[in-house]
């Protein structure tokens, strides 16, 4: 199955694949095609595992949770396993009432029928415009062809089929060793508007061939999501459809991973690496973005406080436009910190723009404006705040706010 | 003192002045001039009352509260009275440490000396760039001239002197009758970036010649602020300097107004009218805005829930860009409602774009897109959501998100 030698660098104690593929973990195939939901581009994708995989999911906190999320949740509750994910872009199947639920169930039913597996093993995922019914005829007609195309080489087609306003496909893969056996963790994701902390936000799929029981997979997915996908923001809007799912085929042949397993920490680092990598790619591809912005808050009293502060800064429209304009206006960073709700002493705050200290003891440090400007022209832009109060820290990711964000969103449907 | 006949229309049971003047309530004078903080435009203003007025203030919730707010608070705590406000624009005197506090005190001291009144009766207010020391020499030199210019005609100069990126001056005035005596309530304000709920946000000054004791004035100011200034958002950023102050000269000659006074409801309506009018003007003049957006949420279980929902919708970048593009994309309204944290039943929600019902029972109603587009080309744009669950309601104000917002904020200082 694996012809190419994977080029890799070592990070987080695991090998990072240079050409990541969601189908790389043993047992997974994928496909994507144009079913006619969008005008031209691919809009229907599928991931399938050759065995029922341990599965987990986290869902948007939006009160208008879309129909496919409800159907996926129902299925996952049966035995904590999934064998296939059917995903469409171009239409969110949200705010579609009874008909939307029926449509999501028919997507599931037809996929299960074509794959000859039980319905509850099929997850359903949709993203796109809210409030319009799915073009079910076209979609159902496309499913048999999609199943036929399933292949280990389906990476690219699948990644394309889930995009909306994204400008590039998003994937990540690492390999690690568990009990002497190679384990692979790979993921794919899409952004790029309505991206904001609180789950919600985007779609991501993480596959692994590690053996992990469903409850353990759910715990690690929840924990890692809080530190990665829930720490990105593009525009503060938290969508009706966002979901992260994980499937573990178990085909690597290790003994099931649990929190007591000697290789658990390594697996956690690998899983977190893939999630963080995907989260950063989503933030980098925020609508209209020209640069990734990474905000790290250290010295906080609590992790919750550090997260609030980092998210407030990376989400501030004024910070985002300052980055776009490469204006080292640290006052906006300090202002966002001030309204974040994090607990700190204003007189002990330090702010760094890249490597330049702009604020110490809550007061400005004379700064070379040109050097500050150069730091903000980097990609990624790194902003760091030390609250000098405790040991907790957090990192959040976002992007600059540009003319193109306005252009894209002022003319989305027209 | 009053030469011009005030042209007025009757609203909220009071006469609304067509040419509002902050100096209209008896006892007040104002002035504004160029002291040299900004390059060219007026940047130093003053309001003075001929008697020590009952006074009240609400301050930003930002943890980095600027020096002038601390100094004003100190003074107000002495006896709940103020006789003068010295206001500068162009420099916020925030994050300026010990020196900033000293500078704010020197502004107060010099103002008091020139006016020959006790220092604690002088409020100090600053707005502008964060983290730079005030040019104290130029400011102190300008204060005597400013005092000399104080006049009932100072309305326009004062209103100009407090502006930053605002494109127009903001004032409002109403007149009502209390015990057969004419009472006037007038205000002035500035926006227009870093404007977001939670006090913070902006500066506003409300003057009245009604007799109202300080604690009563503080209560009405707090209550009205929550329903007006705290319900506007331009960009979600809550500044370090924002403050609303009220001064009541008592020169109308009424018996002191309290919650038991027969004319209390009329006074509350008048006070609220001025605050709401100023709040709407600030929202309308949000940075880069082309249209005022007014979001009303009805049928909520609690007022808190209605406010959260209205603020989430009016603050959503996606709703704001949809308004700019006149795209009747009700999905974004529903999405913002969904993450607002308000409690409601998605299947009972109604959404109106202007007079057009776009969503009923949580599902889209077939809509004439051209008509929807026309509604979004109005100014103000009116969006209405009925949660059909309770009797509470709230209104929030904001503006569209445009290319100009990005342009203004990507090049603020450069």
């Amino acid at each position: 199955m694996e012809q190419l030698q994977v080029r890799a660098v070592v990070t987080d104690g695991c090998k990072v694949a240079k050409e990541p593929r969601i189908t790389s973990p043993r047992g997974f195939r994928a496909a994507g095609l144009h079913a006619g939901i969008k005008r031209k581009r691919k809009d229907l994708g599928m991931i399938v595992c050759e065995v029922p995989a341990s599965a987990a999911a986290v869902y948007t906190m939006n009160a208008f949770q879309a129909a496919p999320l409800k159907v996926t949740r129902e299925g996952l509750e049966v035995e904590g396993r999934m064998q296939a994910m059917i995903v469409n872009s171009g239409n969110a199947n949200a705010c579609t009432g009874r008909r939307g639920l029926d449509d999501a169930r028919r997507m599931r039913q037809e996929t299960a029928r074509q794959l000859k597996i039980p319905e509850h093993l099929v997850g359903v995922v949709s993203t796109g415009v809210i409030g319009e019914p799915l073009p079910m005829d076209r979609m159902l007609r496309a499913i048999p062809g999609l199943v036929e195309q399933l292949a280990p080489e389906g990476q690219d087609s699948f990644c394309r089929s889930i995009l909306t306003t994204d400008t590039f496909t998003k994937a990540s893969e690492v390999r690690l060793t568990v009990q002497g056996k190679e384990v692979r963790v790979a993921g794919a994701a899409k952004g790029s508007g309505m991206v904001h902390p609180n789950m919600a936000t985007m779609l991501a799929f993480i596959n692994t061939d590690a053996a992990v029981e469903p409850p353990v997979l759910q715990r690690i997915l929840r924990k890692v999501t809080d530190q990665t996908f829930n720490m990105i923001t593009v525009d503060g809007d938290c969508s009706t459809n966002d979901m992260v799912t994980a499937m573990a085929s178990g085909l690597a042949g290790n003994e099931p991973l649990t929190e007591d397993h000697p290789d658990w920490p390594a697996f956690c680092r690998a899983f977190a690496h893939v999630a963080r990598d995907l989260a950063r790619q989503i933030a980098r591809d925020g609508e209209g973005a020209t640069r990734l912005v990474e905000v790290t808050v250290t010295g906080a009293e609590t992790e919750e406080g550090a997260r609030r502060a980092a998210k407030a800064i990376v989400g501030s429209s004024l910070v985002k436009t300052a980055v776009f304009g490469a204006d080292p206006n640290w006052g906006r960073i300090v202002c966002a910190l001030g309204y974040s709700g994090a607990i700190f002493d204003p007189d002990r705050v330090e702010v760094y723009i890249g490597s330049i200290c702009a604020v110490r003891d809550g007061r400005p440090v004379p700064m070379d404006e040109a050097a500050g400007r150069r730091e903000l022209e980097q990609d990624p832009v790194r902003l760091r705040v030390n609250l000098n109060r405790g040991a907790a820290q957090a990192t959040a990711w976002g992007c600059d706010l540009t003319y193109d964000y306005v252009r894209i969103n002022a003319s989305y449907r027209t």
Side-chain angles (χ1 to χ4, degrees), chain A:
Chain A
M1 163 179 165
E2 188 72 5
Q3 263 112 43
L4 293 167
Q5 189 62 30
V6 170
R7 287 180 293 140
V9 293
V10 175
T11 314
D12 289 337
C14 48
K15 282 188 291 185
V16 179
K18 287 274 191 196
E19 288 164 8
R21 295 194 300 122
I22 187 138
T23 50
S24 177
R26 295 162 193 87
F28 291 95
R29 290 174 298 150
L33 50 66
H34 174 70
I37 309 167
K38 296 180 190 164
R39 221 171 34 207
K40 278 186 164 176
R41 291 179 301 146
K42 289 191 200 307
D43 51 21
L44 196 64
M46 194 180 286
I47 303 176
V48 171
C49 184
E50 58 185 64
V51 296
S54 285
V58 288
Y59 310 92
T60 183
M61 300 292 290
N62 196 299
F64 286 94
Q65 212 172 64
L69 281 73
K70 292 176 191 162
V71 170
T72 299
R73 187 194 294 263
E74 274 173 23
L76 197 52
E77 277 168 3
V78 177
E79 52 169 330
R81 295 188 178 269
M82 285 277 153
Q83 194 164 355
M85 292 282 167
I86 173 99
V87 191
N88 77 275
S89 59
N91 185 316
N93 193 12
C95 298
T96 42
R98 183 74 226 166
R99 173 167 174 185
L101 263 182
D102 289 347
D103 287 349
R105 293 215 173 88
R106 282 165 72 208
M107 280 173 75
R108 177 170 75 170
Q109 186 181 41
E110 182 60 16
T111 305
R113 204 169 68 87
Q114 294 292 331
L115 292 170
K116 301 181 181 60
I117 60 174
E119 286 187 28
H120 72 266
L121 294 180
V122 178
V124 182
V125 185
S126 298
T127 178
V129 174
I130 294 175
E132 290 179 12
L134 287 169
M136 283 309 292
D137 287 354
R138 272 174 270 171
M139 290 174 65
L140 294 178
R141 265 203 308 275
I143 289 176
L146 191 62
V147 168
E148 235 167 73
Q149 285 180 25
L150 285 166
E153 295 72 32
Q155 160 71 19
D156 188 61
S157 295
F158 174 78
C159 284
R160 287 186 187 286
S161 72
I162 64 176
L163 303 185
T164 51
T165 51
D166 304 64
T167 65
F168 55 82
T169 59
K170 294 159 188 73
S172 181
E173 181 191 344
V174 299
R175 298 182 178 197
L176 73 155
T177 304
V178 173
Q179 299 174 289
K181 292 176 203 299
E182 188 196 57
V183 160
R184 301 172 186 179
V185 183
K190 60 85 48 179
S192 67
M194 283 202 187
V195 170
H196 192 62
N198 254 341
M199 190 50 269
T201 319
M202 20 62 59
L203 302 178
F205 306 88
I206 299 178
N207 292 344
T208 178
D209 46 20
V212 199
E213 286 302 305
V216 181
L217 191 63
Q218 182 66 44
R219 284 199 295 275
I220 185 174
L221 179 64
R222 162 58 57 202
K223 186 177 166 198
V224 164
T225 295
D226 280 344
Q227 295 168 351
T228 56
F229 299 114
N230 283 349
M231 293 302 289
I232 58 179
T233 183
V234 167
D235 53 16
D237 279 282
C238 159
S239 114
T240 52
N241 282 59
D242 300 322
M243 177 159 36
V244 179
T245 66
M247 290 200 281
S249 71
L251 298 178
N254 59 294
E255 278 168 39
L257 285 159
T258 65
E259 283 87 343
D260 303 325
H261 194 289
D263 291 320
W264 177 251
F267 181 71
C268 287
R269 280 197 302 274
F271 198 93
H273 180 96
V274 168
R276 192 185 314 113
D277 192 4
L278 293 174
R280 285 171 51 112
Q281 291 179 49
I282 291 170
R284 175 62 186 81
D285 197 23
E287 286 174 340
T290 70
R291 297 199 270 295
L292 173 68
V293 181
E294 180 174 286
V295 176
T296 300
V297 172
T298 61
E301 225 162 61
T302 63
E303 202 175 310
E304 167 64 17
R307 283 187 197 168
R308 273 169 174 261
K311 285 197 275 194
I313 294 166
V314 87
S316 156
S317 293
L318 290 169
V319 170
K320 291 156 65 77
T321 45
V323 169
F324 176 52
D327 176 4
N329 191 336
W330 57 267
R332 296 182 180 176
I333 298 171
V334 153
C335 175
L337 174 64
Y339 65 69
S340 68
I343 292 165
F344 64 93
D345 175 355
D347 292 336
R348 291 166 77 175
V349 167
E350 267 172 37
V351 176
Y352 291 83
I353 296 175
S355 58
I356 298 175
C357 181
V359 175
R360 182 170 291 131
D361 301 331
R363 285 189 297 283
V365 173
M367 174 174 57
D368 176 352
E369 292 266 331
R373 177 172 279 277
R374 278 194 300 276
E375 292 286 357
L376 293 179
E377 285 164 354
Q378 304 298 311
D379 184 14
V381 169
R382 289 204 165 83
L383 304 176
R384 194 156 56 80
V385 171
N386 189 341
L387 302 178
N388 284 307
R389 199 180 155 111
Q393 66 172 71
T395 299
W397 297 274
C399 57
D400 51 349
L401 173 57
T402 70
Y403 296 116
D404 270 357
Y405 178 84
V406 177
R407 186 185 52 73
I408 292 165
N409 285 299
S411 58
Y412 179 46
R413 302 188 313 166
T414 48

